[in-house]
Every structure is written in C-alpha cells, then in structure tokens.
Amino acid sequence: MAYASVPHVVHWSSVPGKPAKRIPAIFYRTEAGGEPVREWLKSLPSRDDRRLIGYDIETVEFGWPIGMPVCRPLGDGMYEVRTNLPHNRIARVLFYIDKYGRMVLLHGFIKKSRRTPAADLQLGRTNQKKHERGLA
C-alpha cells in the first residue's frame, strides 16, 4: 500500500536555538471576510516596501514588548508599528494585543503628516472594538 507524502511544517518555535514568537500576528477580518491590512499591503506598488513593513511586524512578534523606534503605544491598548520607507515615506500599521495574546493588525497606511491622522486612528479603534466583540 502506498502512502501519500505529507509535507512537514516546521515552526520556528520547534527549531532548537530559534526563538519563539512572543505574540503571533494575525490580520483583523471584517464581517464580510476582508482583511484590510493584508489588502493594503498587497496594494503597495513596491515589493521592497512590503518586505520592510513585514520585517518590522516580525520584529515586534519576536521582541515584544518592544519600544521606539519600531513600536509606539497610542493609548487605550492601541500600538503602531513604525516603518521608514525609501523616499522619506513612513508606513504605520495599527494593532492591539487581544485576550489570546495575539497581535491583531487593524489598519495600515502611509503617513503624510507629522501626527497620526485622527481618521486613521479612529478606524483602528473601530476595528479593534469590532474584533473584541467577535471574540466574546
């Protein structure tokens, strides 16, 4: 009898000498099934931009708790991952830590002003509340 080969998935936490993620990142999902941060990342024209943002998210996953310059608290349990991109552009990904200890990626944007725009912060907070209600 022939057996089907099943690919073996290796998780970093199971590799000797490799650190485990302290907080795994997940994408916030809307009621309609959309994932705003994943969609925003895919919409970025530069693969290098996506790679840099992903690297900074990964830095938070493995290094939590982590502070500036990669991560900054915004109050009420909301944080931002800060990524400096080429050509003086700044990307932000808003997230919170849910009751299961996961980094929930709520909203991403390219910052155009010195302060985090109120509309972007409000969208992140709205998504956080929706996600929290779904976890009840």
Side-chain angles (χ1 to χ4, degrees):
M1 177 186 267
Y3 291 95
S5 153
V6 178
H8 179 67
V9 178
V10 176
H11 297 282
W12 283 114
S13 59
S14 65
V15 176
K18 292 288 184 183
K21 288 182 181 179
R22 291 176 176 223
I23 54 166
I26 64 166
F27 292 95
Y28 160 73
R29 184 172 286 159
T30 65
E31 292 99 14
E35 295 175 330
V37 174
R38 185 188 305 268
E39 293 159 12
W40 171 72
L41 286 168
K42 286 181 174 182
S43 76
L44 294 174
S46 168
R47 184 177 178 186
D48 290 336
D49 289 353
R50 289 189 295 273
R51 191 182 341 249
L52 289 169
I53 294 166
Y55 176 76
D56 285 341
I57 290 170
E58 185 179 56
T59 299
V60 175
E61 286 181 293
F62 283 94
W64 186 257
I66 191 168
M68 293 288 281
V70 177
C71 185
R72 182 173 75 102
L74 299 174
D76 296 324
M78 176 88 60
Y79 299 87
E80 67 179 1
V81 177
R82 307 158 53 89
T83 303
N84 292 316
L85 302 172
H87 310 297
N88 293 322
R89 293 172 306 128
I90 301 167
R92 297 290 186 256
V93 176
L94 304 182
F95 72 94
Y96 87 106
I97 308 300
D98 72 7
K99 67 181 181 182
Y100 300 112
R102 301 175 301 184
M103 175 186 188
V104 182
L105 307 177
L106 301 165
H107 178 58
F109 59 98
I110 302 293
K111 200 165 153 189
K112 294 178 173 60
S113 63
R114 188 162 172 83
R115 297 191 56 146
T116 300
D120 287 302
L121 190 56
Q122 184 57 47
L123 182 54
R125 292 197 190 287
T126 299
N127 289 347
Q128 177 181 356
K129 285 182 176 74
K130 289 179 182 177
H131 187 263
E132 288 171 336
R133 278 196 305 265
L135 290 178

